[in-house]
Structures are given as C-alpha cells and as structure tokens.
Amino acid sequence: MNHDFSRPVTGHVPVLRLGDVLLVTLQGDLHDSTAQQLQQDIGETIVGTGVTGVVIDISGIEIVDSFLGRVLAEIAAQASLLAARTVVAGMRPAVAITLVELGLTLPGLRTALTTEAALDLLAGLDPATRSGGPRQESR
C-alpha cells in the first residue's frame, strides 16, 4: 500500500507500542477530529496496556500553530494523569521559534532531538552518553 505523506493528516494517526512506550508520528497538518481521535486513542492505549511513556515524533511537521501546541500540551497532561511521561521528538528550529513566539510553554512535555534520544530519556538513560561517553564540544 502506498502512502502519500505530503497530504494533510485527515484520518487516523497510528499509535504504535514499543515495549513500555507508545510512538506517535505526526505527518502534515492535524485536523480537529483527527486530534481528538488521537487523544482518545493514546488515553485508551495507556490504560489498556499500562505503558509508562509516550513519544510524539513531530519531525514531519513544518509549522506548529497554537492549535497543535495545545493538542501536544493536552496529550502530555492526559498522559501524566494516567501515569505516563511524554517526550516530543524531532522538533525543527523553526517550530521551536514559533512555539516561543506564540508563548506556548507546553507544560509537562520534555523534548529530545531524535526519537532514539526520546526513548533513551524515557528509559532513564542520558542520551548524551549513548556513544560510549559524554559528547565533546568541538572547539
């Protein structure tokens, strides 16, 4: 089956389980009904499986508006109430700038540069030490 990821997300966003973590990958725009369904799916999956973490990969998102920022914050708040931590992975610099400009602090959300680093963060590992030691700053 071919997928066109350049289209806006209008249907169902898959929620994948990786051990004790749910992985959600957002691609394109998230519409009201899709966001509401995603929140419901994440909540039901946390309750049904007892996972302790949620990783939301937004590397496929070009622009974040106040709606998407609110949805991310609501997912994190809901997950926290259900005893799961949320990490947003793959945020682009332009997205971070937009969130700051909109005044969105996203309480309850931790961030990581990559999905792998987000999984490490939820596992209690320091992503900076993954490659055999702390990262060295180049001079």
Side-chain angles (χ1 to χ4, degrees), residues 10 17 21-22 29 35-36 38 46 65 72 88 112 115 122-123 133:
T10 56
R17 181 176 178 195
V21 176
L22 299 181
D29 295 330
Q36 189 173 28
L38 177 61
I46 290 170
D65 57 9
L72 293 173
V88 172
T115 300
L122 288 171

Side-chain angles (χ1 to χ4, degrees), residues 42-85:
I42 289 172
E44 289 175 357
T45 306
I46 290 170
V47 169
T49 62
V51 297
T52 58
V54 178
V55 174
I56 303 172
D57 181 347
I58 64 168
S59 60
I61 301 291
E62 297 286 334
I63 299 172
V64 170
D65 57 9
S66 59
F67 171 73
L68 182 55
R70 192 181 80 241
V71 167
L72 293 173
E74 287 174 0
I75 288 171
Q78 174 188 9
S80 179
L81 288 171
L82 297 172
R85 296 176 295 153

Side-chain angles (χ1 to χ4, degrees), residues 14-32:
V15 177
L16 306 173
R17 181 176 178 195
L18 300 171
D20 288 337
V21 176
L22 299 181
L23 176 61
V24 178
T25 302
L26 299 181
Q27 300 281 340
D29 295 330
L30 193 65
H31 298 283
D32 290 1

